[in-house]
Amino acid sequence: LEQVVQFDGFEVQRLSLAPGSEYLLPANGEYALLMAISQVAVDGVTIEPEQALLLAAERQPLTILASGTQPSVLLLAARKIQKII
């Protein structure tokens, strides 16, 4: 997980996962935007490149899985990204 950019109002971080690996994104009470750079599965739902999900502030932790045969990359933008990761 690496920080890509930080602005006054929000931050963007990149998550890179090896094929078959997963990451648990904890709930934190903040809205976030998850953008797929390559194929990734979020709680069993496949997200294709250039698709995005708006993550509700009041949500359960989410399992992110590198579901393809290639590494999965996604961007996560949020107001307080440190609390999410």
Side-chain angles (χ1 to χ4, degrees):
L1 189 64
E2 71 177 292
Q3 184 170 318
V4 176
V5 68
Q6 181 176 3
F7 296 105
D8 291 338
F10 70 98
E11 294 179 323
V12 178
Q13 292 194 354
R14 177 178 25 239
L15 177 63
S16 300
L17 297 171
S21 64
E22 63 181 46
Y23 180 82
L24 184 64
L25 183 66
N28 74 335
E30 294 286 339
Y31 288 97
L33 182 64
L34 183 149
M35 298 162 279
I37 304 302
S38 56
Q39 184 181 17
V40 64
V42 179
D43 274 359
V45 177
T46 300
I47 309 300
E48 298 294 336
E50 299 184 14
Q51 291 183 328
L53 292 176
L54 177 61
L55 305 180
E58 299 301 320
R59 63 176 167 77
Q60 298 298 314
L62 299 172
T63 300
I64 299 172
L65 172 67
S67 55
T69 58
Q70 300 295 318
S72 291
V73 179
L74 60 91
L75 299 177
L76 189 62
R79 188 168 59 110
K80 294 182 180 175
I81 203 97
Q82 295 92 348
K83 288 187 176 182
I84 310 178
I85 308 301

